[in-house]
Amino acid sequence: MLTKEEELRLYEYDGSVETGRPDCVVFPGNKSEVAEIARLVNRYAVPMVGRGAGTGLSGGALAREGGVQVVFSRMNRILAVDYENQRAVVEPGVVNLELSRAVARAGLQYAPDPSSQKSCTIGGNVSENAGGPHTLRYGVTTNHILGLEVVMPDGETYRIGGAAVDAPGYDLVGLFVGSEGTLGLVVEITAKLTRLPESVKTLLAVFETTDDATETVAALTARGITPAACEMMDGWTIRVVESWIHAGLPTDAGAILLIEVDGPKEAAEEQAEAVVETCRAHKAREVRTAKDEREREALWKARKNAFGAVGRVAPDCYVQDGVIPRTRLPETLRRIAEIGKRHGFEVGNIFHAGDGNLHPMLCFDHREPGTFERAMAAASEIIALCVEMGGSITGEHGVGMEKDRLMPLLFSEADLELMKRVRGALNPAGLLNPGKLFPASKSCGEIRAPAMGRGPNELGEGVRGVTQR
Amino acid sequence: MAVEAKGMMRAMAGEAERAEYGDFARCVHCGLCLNHCPTYRLWGREADSPRGRIRQMFLVDSGEMAMDSTFVTHIDRCLDCRACETACPSGVEYGKLVELARGRIEKEYRRKGMARLGRDLFYRRLLPYPKRMAALGGLMRLVQQSGLQKMARSAGLLKLMRVDKRADLLPEIDRKFFSTETTRTFPARSARRARVAFFAGCVARMTFSALSEATIRVLRANGCEVVVPEGQWCCGALEVHAGYRDVAREMARRNFDVFLADEAGFDAIVTNAAGCGSTMKEYGLLFATDPEEHKRAKRFEGMLKDVTEFLDELGLTAPMRHVQMRATYQDSCHLLHGQKVREAPRRLIRAVEGVELVEMELSDQCCGSAGVYNVTQTETAMALLKRKMECVNATAAQTILTANPGCLLQLRAGAELAGKGQEVLHVVELLDRAIGPERP
Ligand SMILES: Cc1cc2nc3c(=O)[nH]c(=O)nc-3n(C[C@H](O)[C@H](O)[C@H](O)COP(=O)(O)OP(=O)(O)OC[C@H]3O[C@@H](n4cnc5c(N)ncnc54)[C@H](O)[C@@H]3O)c2cc1C
Ligand code: SF4
Ligand code: SF4
């Protein structure tokens, strides 16, 4: 247990720009300790919040109202793997990639692959319903969770879901996955394991303009081709990334698509051909196929480290997370560029094109007066645009503290009320992860820019923290 | 310029060198480094993670947190293995940050009596002086050879003195030290393709002379004329890691004089110690304030090559025999994370016919050696070693290959204590074996 100020200050941040200092941090070693902690906390009526690796991008794991932070880093054992039925039972602190690594020898993987997978925990993934580049093919976390064991705010432990895919009764697992740690603490997870594909093909398609690239994505959908992953990077981002990572990306291109197809050997090859054809039909200047695992790794490294690379060119960079229907990609990107221009920014784009999950990036230096505010204003316009396009305010980073004020953009008061009733039923005193997900007061209809008025956080880097993805 | 001027003023005022705001601001606290950090993997605490350490250093630097024993403990526990640097997408130069923080600690923090005296004695009074180190070496050898160590151990004396495990981790002293008293030149054994200077190292000179000789043999067999210039001594790595930056600067200057003076000029300065190489490739950081010295440091950096990197670039030409071996390769942190050299040693290993290279899991995680870490933080080092040996054992390899003397020692202890008695070799020792004995 940590209570000294200098120790607590190491738990007041996560991957986001927000901060919130707990009064005490505990590291339970097993589920009965978690239950014990919950009972105590409940008795003294102090707030409590769970924390995995603290890679969250919306401040979900922060103790917004102080209280006890329950860190799951010690509960990191893989308890059982049932190879035949392709299931694993794990503690919540198991790191995403470690599970995939542990079962790789048996030709299996845990499919959801957020870009933070080398650090983030499965407990955190469950709470945020994390997705990743391969979400397009394999779905998000909720599609891979069979059962959970949860400790409720009063300290009672329940098992929900189980082995069967479609259990009778309410889908409580579905309710818990993505609840951002506001309903209960997850202490054990039964996850589905997926066969590693027999064959994987990774293609790089090069276009002169972003429009050509986004139209290709729409065309792929129209033709009924579902790649395993389909990521887009625009020209500006390509140049920034290539100057650091040297993956052989064409720096004079307008945009690239990184497309992966997988499956049985023949099917993958057939699909790859169809993808090449579609790209060519939409004015792709060049379509390359990664020759071997090394080339494939280089391409993905460029993709997964892209935000870090962007972080090197500007002191601050704010990455937004929004979703739109992919058929409206060309139009939305054009309008995002316009919004950026109006506020004096060049907007970089790198995102999960296949899902229409956008991550526009605004680069700036918060030490120049006024830029921070302009960036925030542009960011909220962009998010509003996503909603207008028929999309959502967050694709995968969650609402947390960052976007609670934006919820009314998406949901009516009645919708929010219903959600709050659910929370109220399971977390009646509201002491579990308070101050998240919902706007602070009911009348808060106005949209404030996230992090606005907060100024640069204590590391001093302004909003750059939200950049990573 | 502004940066330099500020540094200069601090140096003049006798203040410790500090990191700049921008160095810290690069860390966006994304947490992608956490699981690559050996100490975070061990304890799961932010305070012992790269992100948490950077945060603490920043808070101390900006005066928001005191430089107290808590801070010093967490910084001391860092291996300076720099796995976090490899993992970080934002390009945070963690090694530089922690070394500067340690410099500040040595200047401004008063360690407890014995610890301070011991550190000062070692870093200021012994390490910089070849003769004193030789005398110490001689003494240690006496203890090791005379059976005194065995006696002390069986009498439980070492345990009593709480150095039982540490004694295992200390190097065995050679009978005859590798000489650098006069300049020696070894001609290439085939048509000359390069002329290189060999950096022998300080502790390695007394404990790894066989490795040094093997390195020279392998270089010569591959067409290199090898010069061992006289007057060379320590690279300063241990001092930099411990925060004795002024001592390290002296070491560096001596090396500039020794290696940059040669009239014919060298194609490269070669070392077989990744830890030394990593520091010598960053000499520039020690001379940030003086443009002239900085220039010399940069020239030196440019010439320095790890022996595996150098041989890989040069290309192996020596005929090699078949060596039957199932081996696994442990990345030396300061080669992989410090110098970003990953493939070169692997390519060299694969070049030897008959060697089956089986990759272990987590070969990029520190074995716990980390300079003098295994002596100063023995328990943690042993815990890391135990995990390392689990990965090694899983490969069923009979030989562990690596690229740094410190790792060799640690892994040898590991093979004995928690392994299956595997043989532990430097990559050049494997090449030496494949090349075979020199024919007169
Ligand atoms: C570089 C980078 C890239 C990223 N890429 C992606 C991506 O591709 N896709 C994506 O979806 N996200 C991404 N993220 C966001 C983040 O990694 C995910 O949200 C991840 O799921 C968080 O896991 P964590 O273990 O770090 O959880 P934390 O950040 O510690 O916590 C997240 C939330 O989960 C709750 N929580 C944690 N453990 C438990 C538990 N056992 N019981 C109950 N509640 C719990 C916390 O209270 C909090 O609300 C990225 C983040 C970074 C920094
Ligand atoms: S050091 Fe790098 S990887 Fe680690 S938290 Fe900071 S930015 Fe992220
Ligand atoms: S240098 Fe090694 S031990 Fe130190 S913080 Fe980085 S990864 Fe951890």
Side-chain angles (χ1 to χ4, degrees):
Chain A
M1 183 165 103
L2 307 176
T3 51
K4 281 202 280 188
E5 179 179 332
E6 64 262 30
E7 294 166 329
L8 299 175
R9 293 202 66 174
L10 304 180
Y11 290 88
E12 67 185 4
Y13 55 78
D14 62 358
S16 77
V17 292
E18 315 285 342
T19 52
R21 197 178 307 174
D23 298 308
C24 149
V25 180
V26 291
F27 300 85
N30 55 49
K31 46 192 172 190
S32 53
E33 285 180 19
V34 178
E36 193 60 34
I37 291 163
R39 266 194 293 277
L40 270 174
V41 164
N42 190 41
R43 171 142 24 109
Y44 295 102
V46 286
M48 171 169 80
V49 54
R51 179 179 170 111
T55 67
L57 291 173
S58 56
L62 304 181
R64 192 173 204 174
E65 299 179 6
V68 178
Q69 197 175 47
V70 185
V71 181
F72 288 97
S73 59
R74 277 179 64 210
M75 289 177 64
N76 62 354
R77 280 159 296 198
I78 297 175
L79 300 171
V81 181
D82 175 353
Y83 289 101
E84 279 181 8
N85 296 304
Q86 301 187 9
R87 278 196 305 246
V89 181
V90 301
E91 290 186 323
V94 170
V95 169
N96 177 306
L97 192 60
E98 303 256 323
L99 177 56
S100 280
R101 219 185 254 152
V103 297
R105 284 229 175 107
L108 297 172
Q109 62 171 331
Y110 173 65
D113 63 337
S115 304
S116 52
Q117 71 181 141
K118 59 186 188 182
S119 279
C120 65
T121 66
I122 302 206
N125 292 167
V126 165
S127 302
E128 298 286 352
N129 193 14
H134 290 82
T135 287
L136 187 54
R137 167 70 166 260
Y138 295 98
V140 287
T141 302
T142 193
N143 307 108
H144 299 269
I145 301 300
L146 298 167
L148 295 174
E149 193 166 337
V150 291
V151 169
M152 300 307 290
D154 58 4
E156 291 300 313
T157 305
Y158 297 91
R159 264 182 187 282
I160 57 179
V165 178
D166 188 9
Y170 291 131
D171 178 11
L172 292 178
V173 173
L175 178 64
F176 267 83
V177 177
S179 63
E180 302 198 13
T182 62
L183 300 180
L185 293 174
V186 176
V187 291
E188 195 180 288
I189 298 149
T190 306
K192 207 195 294 181
L193 301 174
T194 309
R195 240 177 223 294
L196 283 166
E198 180 189 309
S199 148
V200 180
K201 285 203 164 302
T202 307
L203 302 129
L204 179 76
V206 185
F207 299 87
E208 297 295 346
T209 68
T210 43
D211 276 1
D212 290 343
T214 48
E215 271 155 25
T216 305
V217 176
L220 284 172
T221 316
R223 286 188 56 176
I225 303 171
T226 311
C230 178
E231 306 279 308
M232 189 186 126
M233 207 188 280
D234 69 9
W236 182 85
T237 316
I238 295 171
R239 285 182 282 283
V240 172
V241 171
E242 184 57 25
S243 69
W244 173 56
I245 297 180
H246 312 295
L249 304 179
T251 50
D252 58 340
I256 55 170
L257 287 177
L258 181 60
I259 303 174
E260 194 156 279
V261 296
D262 67 11
K265 204 158 183 296
E266 274 162 33
E269 260 159 32
E270 225 167 79
Q271 253 207 343
E273 259 166 49
V275 169
V276 173
E277 215 173 86
T278 316
C279 292
R280 292 248 156 82
H282 285 82
K283 301 195 244 169
R285 175 174 97 190
E286 186 195 344
V287 188
R288 286 186 223 162
T289 310
K291 279 196 296 294
D292 51 28
E293 193 53 31
R294 293 238 332 239
E295 276 191 30
R296 178 170 175 253
E297 263 171 28
L299 289 174
W300 277 110
K301 184 170 169 218
R303 166 63 188 89
K304 292 203 174 178
N305 285 321
F307 286 114
V310 171
R312 295 172 191 232
V313 296
D316 304 279
C317 181
Y318 189 17
V319 172
Q320 274 292 324
D321 170 39
V323 188
I324 54 155
R326 59 195 155 194
T327 47
R328 305 192 73 172
L329 269 172
E331 181 190 354
T332 313
L333 280 194
R334 274 194 296 270
R335 285 184 56 189
I336 289 178
E338 277 163 30
I339 294 175
K341 209 178 266 163
R342 198 147 28 76
H343 291 277
F345 296 105
E346 185 155 16
V347 185
N349 281 291
I350 175 162
F351 55 90
H352 314 308
D355 308 317
N357 186 175
L358 303 180
H359 296 299
M361 302 177 286
L362 299 162
C363 293
F364 61 98
D365 184 343
H366 77 268
R367 289 173 294 185
E368 266 171 50
T371 38
F372 180 79
E373 288 73 16
R374 278 193 288 124
M376 292 304 116
S380 13
E381 273 185 49
I382 289 171
I383 290 303
L385 174 69
C386 291
V387 177
E388 183 195 324
M389 288 287 157
S392 165
I393 60 173
T394 165
E396 51 188 20
H397 297 168
V399 176
M401 308 173 41
E402 184 204 3
K403 287 185 172 158
D404 55 356
R405 305 170 214 90
L406 297 177
M407 287 290 269
L409 267 183
L410 202 57
F411 297 107
S412 71
E413 203 133 296
D415 293 341
L416 288 175
E417 215 28 65
L418 181 62
M419 287 191 215
K420 282 192 200 166
R421 272 163 65 188
V422 172
R423 183 183 64 174
L426 297 175
N427 178 12
L431 287 172
L432 187 62
N433 209 356
K436 307 289 170 67
L437 215 48
F438 303 108
S441 92
K442 256 195 343 192
S443 59
C444 183
E446 111 212 61
I447 306 139
R448 284 188 21 230
M452 175 89 106
R454 232 168 245 283
N457 68 2
E458 286 174 78
L459 258 184
E461 73 274 46
V463 280
R464 210 173 116 201
V466 249
T467 57
Q468 302 295 312
R469 193 181 158 269
Chain B
M1 252 348 257
V3 172
E4 273 176 11
K6 226 192 279 170
M8 193 92 91
M9 271 157 63
R10 278 200 196 117
M12 271 155 46
E15 268 182 58
E17 301 147 71
R18 301 244 197 123
E20 299 291 329
Y21 165 77
D23 296 332
F24 291 113
R26 275 209 165 167
C27 174
V28 297
H29 41 90
C30 66
L32 289 198
C33 51
L34 295 183
N35 211 34
H36 290 257
C37 171
T39 54
Y40 180 83
R41 291 175 71 93
L42 222 42
W43 305 310
R45 300 287 169 95
E46 265 315 293
D48 291 307
S49 80
R51 176 170 69 175
R53 290 191 177 112
I54 292 168
R55 173 75 151 193
Q56 293 169 82
M57 293 188 267
F58 176 73
L59 290 174
V60 166
D61 243 38
S62 59
E64 286 185 58
M65 216 169 91
M67 186 184 285
D68 58 6
S69 62
T70 316
F71 173 69
V72 174
T73 302
H74 296 307
I75 299 299
D76 276 353
R77 279 190 197 153
C78 168
L79 298 148
D80 201 358
C81 70
R82 297 164 70 171
C84 46
E85 251 179 58
T86 302
C88 174
S90 300
V92 171
E93 296 169 286
Y94 180 87
K96 171 174 144 190
L97 291 176
V98 79
E99 283 157 17
L100 287 170
R102 287 180 172 170
R104 262 197 87 188
I105 291 175
E106 279 332 299
K107 281 217 153 137
E108 296 167 28
Y109 178 75
R110 267 189 87 76
R111 288 181 187 274
K112 293 229 180 69
M114 274 311 277
R116 190 180 70 245
L117 290 180
R119 288 170 67 94
D120 273 350
L121 178 72
F122 182 68
Y123 290 112
R124 288 205 188 283
R125 307 258 161 257
L126 284 173
L127 201 49
Y129 302 99
K131 291 226 173 74
R132 294 184 195 171
M133 284 299 281
L136 176 72
L139 201 69
M140 274 176 64
R141 184 176 155 78
L142 205 69
V143 173
Q144 285 170 349
Q145 296 300 312
S146 66
L148 269 177
Q149 185 162 322
K150 263 206 193 111
M151 261 167 57
R153 186 184 315 245
S154 55
L157 215 62
L158 289 179
K159 209 166 234 153
L160 215 66
M161 290 160 67
R162 300 187 46 222
V163 291
D164 188 31
K165 274 190 198 142
R166 290 176 205 192
D168 269 338
L169 299 175
L170 284 175
E172 194 158 309
I173 308 293
D174 293 333
R175 193 162 53 84
K176 199 162 161 282
F177 298 167
F178 184 84
S179 162
T180 55
E181 268 130 46
T182 51
T183 298
R184 294 187 288 160
T185 302
F186 301 88
R189 296 199 79 85
S190 50
R192 190 174 106 175
R193 301 159 70 207
R195 181 166 185 269
V196 302
F198 178 64
F199 175 81
C202 56
V203 180
R205 225 171 54 99
M206 309 191 302
T207 58
F208 278 99
S209 35
L211 170 61
S212 297
E213 277 148 21
T215 307
I216 292 174
R217 278 197 297 274
V218 171
L219 285 165
R220 294 175 72 196
N222 282 289
C224 298
E225 176 178 312
V226 185
V227 180
V228 185
E230 67 181 307
Q232 57 169 300
W233 179 233
C234 174
C235 64
L238 292 177
E239 294 89 338
V240 172
H241 297 162
Y244 290 77
R245 296 177 73 82
D246 51 336
V247 186
R249 263 190 287 276
E250 276 314 309
M251 305 284 110
R253 287 191 186 109
R254 172 149 29 161
N255 285 327
F256 298 160
D257 292 341
V258 167
F259 288 95
L260 298 180
D262 186 87
E263 298 205 337
F266 297 115
D267 295 314
I269 304 165
V270 176
T271 173
N272 57 25
C276 306
S278 159
T279 295
M280 291 191 283
K281 279 185 180 176
E282 290 177 351
Y283 269 164
L285 291 177
L286 285 171
F287 298 98
T289 52
D290 182 330
E292 264 317 301
E293 288 207 288
H294 191 256
K295 223 163 82 193
R296 282 219 299 172
K298 281 290 173 193
R299 210 176 119 216
F300 188 96
E301 276 179 20
M303 287 171 66
L304 198 103
K305 290 267 185 311
D306 184 79
V307 62
T308 59
E309 181 188 18
F310 179 76
L311 284 171
D312 180 57
E313 278 171 18
L314 187 71
L316 296 176
T317 49
M320 292 194 288
R321 299 178 305 182
H322 185 100
V323 178
Q324 192 67 39
M325 177 189 284
R326 184 180 167 92
T328 190
Y329 177 70
Q330 160 65 15
D331 283 290
S332 289
C333 296
H334 283 127
L335 191 59
L336 176 64
H337 306 302
Q339 303 179 47
K340 314 285 175 230
V341 177
R342 197 193 124 81
E343 295 304 327
R346 290 179 164 81
R347 272 195 293 266
L348 296 179
I349 295 167
R350 288 204 190 91
V352 180
E353 226 179 287
V355 176
E356 183 194 357
L357 177 62
V358 197
E359 292 282 353
M360 70 173 102
E361 294 239 347
L362 304 172
S363 67
D364 58 353
Q365 281 276 307
C366 183
C367 62
S369 159
V372 292
Y373 193 91
N374 52 6
V375 181
T376 57
Q377 307 270 339
T378 310
E379 240 159 76
T380 311
M382 295 312 281
L384 293 173
L385 183 58
K386 194 165 154 269
R387 291 189 171 197
K388 177 57 62 192
M389 291 314 297
E390 282 162 16
C391 296
V392 170
N393 293 341
T395 63
Q398 307 116 358
T399 306
I400 312 171
L401 296 167
T402 187
N404 183 47
C407 312
L408 287 172
L409 275 181
Q410 176 85 347
L411 291 168
R412 275 181 195 146
E416 210 169 290
L417 297 172
K420 303 198 180 338
Q422 292 93 335
E423 173 188 41
V424 185
L425 293 179
H426 192 294
V427 174
V428 290
E429 289 177 309
L430 167 67
L431 296 180
D432 185 45
R433 191 176 289 182
I435 290 167
E438 282 172 34
R439 276 163 299 248

